[in-house]
Amino acid sequence: MKLKRMFCALTAAAVLAASMFSLTAHADDSKAYSDEYKSSPYYEKLTAALEDSRDKTTMEKALAAALSQEGYKNYATEGADLDKAREDGLLWTGKELRMNAHDTGNTEYTRWAQTWVMGGEGDAQYLDCDWCAIFVSWCLYQAGYYSKDELKKYYYAYCAEPRVEYDADSWILAYNLDQKNVWYAPKAHHKLDAYNWNTYYNIDIDPFEMPYKPGGLVFFSWDGSGEYFDHVSIVVDYDQDTHVLTYSNGNSAGQVITRQIDLDVEEEFRGMAFTKNSNRIMAYADYDEIKPLEPKKITAPNTEIMWDKGASSGLRFRTNSDSKIFSVTVDGEYLGSNVESNMILHEGKVIIGRSEIVNLEAGSHDLLFTFDDGALPLTLTVTDENGIEDKLYGDLNFDGKVTVDDATVLQRAAVDFVQLTDTQTALADVNGDGRVSVLDVTCVQKYIAQFASGTGRAGQKY
C-alpha cells in the first residue's frame, strides 16, 4: 500500500489533564463510539486498559489502547460475513460506500474519524486516509494527547480533500512533534524538505540505535527504498541485543495485530522487496515531553485587504508566522486548506489562488486564517470593477462619487492598514506622484470641502 499520504490523518497538539485520560472524557458525544462498538468486547477491553493505565505516561496509555484492540478486523472486503461482523460490533454500518475500501477500511476507527471528529454524516468532509494512520491517531486520542477540535483542524489540513502532500513535514507537523524528539534514519534523509531544514535535529541515525520506547511511533517504508513513508505503528518493545522490534498496528493483514521484525535479517518481508529489515525503518518519534506551542499573535501589515473579482491572480499578503496554513474560513464557512487549494504560506507570504475566491460576492467578508501557531482574522472587501463604466480618481469604493468614506479608506491605505487592488491604487494616486500617501488624502479632503485648488485629480474620470 502506498501510504505516503496516510500521515495526513495523524494529529496532535497538547497533553490534556490527567482527568481526561479515561473514556468518560469523551462520553459527552454519542457519536464518539458507535452502538455496535459499545456492544463488542473491544470496548470493554479499551475501558479496562485506560483504567489500568490511568497513572502511566501518555505513550504508555496510547500503547495500552492499541493492545486492547488486538484482533479487531476490517470487514471492508468482498465475501465477508457482514451480518456476523455487525453482530460482533466490528463493522461501521454508517457508510456503505466504504464497504470495499481496503485501505481506508470500514472500521470503528474510520467511523470515529469521519463521523465524529469531522462532525457530520453524508455532508462531512471526506477523509482519504489509510486506517493504520487513523488507528494510531485514535490511540493517541484515547491517551488524551489531543482534543476533538485539534484533531479536526489537523484532519482538514492533512487528510481532507484537497490535502497537503509534503515529503517530511506533512506528517511530522500532523503530529505536532518537536523535532528534537524525532530520529530520522539515513533512508529518510532525502525526504526532509528544505522548508523546515533548520528544524531537523536527529538526522541519519542508525535504526539499531534509535531510542525506542513503549508507546513511541515507528514509521516504515516497507520496500526499503525510502521513497515512501507508508506505514506507522506503536512500539511495544525493542530488544537492544537481538535487534527485534515488536510493534502494534492497524491495517496489518486487515486487522489490529502485534508483530515483530528482526532488523538484522535480510529478507522479503510481507511481500515487499528483498532487503535488510533495518532499511525499512524511516523514523522514530516519542511525545511524552512534548509541550504545546506557545500561543502566538499572528499579525499582518494590512488588517484589511481589497480584491477584485476580475483580478488575474489571487490575493497575497505577508504575516509574521512561518508555519503552514491549516485552514481558511470566509464568513464562517470553510474555504479550503493549503497547497492543493492554492493557499500557501512560504517565508511569511500567504498566497490564495484566484479560483478559491472568485465566487465571493462584492462587499465585505470576514476571513480567518488558522496556522499551526495561531490564527489571523482579516477583513476582505471584494470589488467588481468590470461592472463600473466610469471610474473616478479618489472614488475607492466605486459608488460613483468621492466622499468621506473614500477619504477614510485612502487614509488607512496611506499608512498600510489597507491593501488596495491595482485599480484602487491607481485611483488613490490623486496628486499623480506615482504613490499613495497622505498628500493624496489631503487632495481628497480638499475636494470634499470644495476647495478651489489643491485637489489634484480628485473627481476626474480615470
Side-chain angles (χ1 to χ4, degrees):
M1 54 187 172
K2 298 297 186 182
L3 309 186
K4 84 175 171 180
R5 9 172 235 196
M6 72 165 199
F7 301 96
C8 305
L10 306 179
T11 66
V15 177
L16 301 181
S19 62
M20 298 293 285
F21 288 140
S22 69
L23 284 177
T24 57
H26 311 309
D28 60 336
D29 195 310
S30 61
K31 294 181 181 178
Y33 304 95
S34 68
D35 292 337
E36 293 86 0
Y37 181 74
K38 287 181 180 178
S39 68
S40 76
Y42 297 99
Y43 180 75
E44 296 179 8
K45 292 177 182 178
L46 174 65
T47 304
L50 293 181
E51 182 62 32
D52 291 343
S53 62
R54 179 183 293 274
D55 297 325
K56 294 185 178 180
T57 67
T58 306
M59 287 167 57
E60 289 172 326
K61 288 182 174 70
L63 176 57
L67 294 176
S68 73
Q69 304 301 290
E70 185 85 8
Y72 186 105
K73 295 181 180 179
N74 169 26
Y75 281 87
T77 55
E78 293 185 36
D81 187 343
L82 302 184
D83 290 335
K84 181 63 168 61
R86 288 188 177 94
E87 290 177 6
D88 293 343
L90 300 180
L91 180 67
W92 168 22
T93 59
K95 282 187 179 291
E96 299 300 326
L97 62 92
R98 290 181 175 233
M99 288 299 297
N100 295 316
H102 173 73
D103 287 332
T104 300
N106 205 346
T107 69
E108 172 67 15
Y109 320 113
T110 49
R111 182 213 65 83
W112 165 82
Q114 180 72 53
T115 304
W116 187 69
V117 175
M118 301 311 290
E121 298 292 344
D123 59 344
Q125 178 76 22
Y126 185 82
L127 298 182
D128 184 15
C129 302
D130 298 284
W131 73 273
C132 57
I134 290 180
F135 175 70
V136 169
S137 68
W138 181 87
C139 292
L140 295 180
Y141 172 78
Q142 301 302 330
Y145 191 59
Y146 38 43
S147 70
K148 174 183 173 181
D149 289 340
E150 290 159 344
L151 261 173
K152 187 172 184 178
K153 180 179 74 171
Y154 284 93
Y155 273 16
Y156 261 132
Y158 296 108
C159 200
E161 295 212 18
R163 63 175 173 270
V164 189
E165 288 192 34
Y166 285 104
D167 283 344
D169 60 349
S170 61
W171 53 271
I172 290 299
L173 282 176
Y175 275 109
N176 195 23
L177 296 171
D178 187 324
Q179 289 290 350
K180 294 179 181 178
N181 293 337
V182 183
W183 290 263
Y184 295 97
K187 285 284 185 178
H189 188 281
H190 71 288
K191 303 297 287 185
L192 306 185
D193 56 61
Y195 181 84
N196 280 326
W197 182 257
N198 63 331
T199 68
Y200 298 118
Y201 293 88
N202 308 307
I203 301 174
D204 294 341
I205 304 300
D206 189 330
F208 298 105
E209 302 300 324
M210 289 184 175
Y212 305 105
K213 300 176 187 175
L217 308 182
V218 174
F219 302 91
F220 292 96
S221 174
W222 281 132
D223 64 6
S225 69
E227 291 302 313
Y228 299 98
F229 292 81
D230 58 14
H231 193 62
V232 62
S233 66
I234 299 178
V235 174
V236 177
D237 182 56
Y238 178 65
D239 191 317
Q240 288 282 1
D241 297 325
T242 64
H243 298 152
V244 172
L245 176 68
T246 305
Y247 57 92
S248 174
N249 56 166
N251 201 12
S252 181
Q255 62 183 309
V256 177
I257 192 172
T258 298
R259 292 185 178 275
Q260 289 187 325
I261 185 171
D262 187 336
L263 302 188
D264 288 317
V265 173
E266 189 170 315
E267 62 180 334
E268 187 179 64
F269 188 71
R270 297 181 62 185
M272 303 306 285
F274 190 92
T275 186
K276 196 169 184 177
N277 285 333
S278 58
N279 290 333
R280 306 184 196 280
I281 303 294
M282 291 289 276
Y284 166 77
D286 64 46
Y287 45 94
D288 265 351
E289 302 303 320
I290 301 301
K291 296 180 179 180
L293 291 174
E294 290 292 329
K296 182 177 182 178
K297 183 177 181 181
I298 309 298
T299 61
N302 312 118
T303 58
E304 299 175 32
I305 297 178
M306 303 287 189
W307 182 83
D308 186 70
K309 295 175 70 68
S312 60
S313 63
L315 60 89
R316 304 184 179 195
F317 62 94
R318 288 192 173 277
T319 76
N320 68 331
S321 172
D322 57 1
S323 78
K324 299 275 173 62
I325 298 174
F326 281 116
S327 66
V328 179
T329 60
V330 180
D331 299 330
E333 295 295 324
Y334 174 72
L335 178 62
S337 61
N338 253 308
V339 173
E340 294 197 21
S341 289
N342 295 320
M343 290 179 287
I344 64 174
L345 178 68
H346 185 62
E347 296 180 350
K349 179 182 287 186
V350 177
I351 305 173
I352 305 182
R354 180 178 182 276
S355 62
E356 295 298 325
I357 56 178
V358 70
N359 292 324
L360 292 181
E361 294 181 358
S364 180
H365 299 274
D366 294 324
L367 268 66
L368 178 64
F369 293 84
T370 303
F371 303 88
D372 180 57
D373 52 1
L376 174 66
L378 291 173
T379 299
L380 171 66
T381 300
V382 177
T383 60
D384 191 1
E385 298 168 11
N386 288 335
I388 303 173
E389 294 184 2
D390 295 325
K391 301 180 180 67
L392 305 177
Y393 281 101
D395 179 16
L396 302 187
N397 63 2
F398 302 107
D399 63 356
K401 52 190 176 181
V402 180
T403 66
V404 173
D405 291 338
D406 299 301
T408 300
V409 174
L410 180 53
Q411 191 171 37
R412 293 174 63 80
V415 292
D416 289 330
F417 283 170
V418 179
Q419 177 177 307
L420 300 175
T421 68
D422 291 342
T423 300
Q424 286 175 315
T425 300
L427 297 180
D429 182 19
V430 177
N431 69 353
D433 65 357
R435 60 195 181 96
V436 177
S437 68
V438 292
L439 298 178
D440 300 299
V441 177
T442 301
C443 288
V444 169
Q445 290 174 334
K446 288 183 177 181
Y447 174 83
I448 295 170
Q450 298 183 352
F451 275 53
S453 61
T455 61
R457 299 179 290 187
Q460 296 178 19
K461 288 186 178 181
Y462 171 67

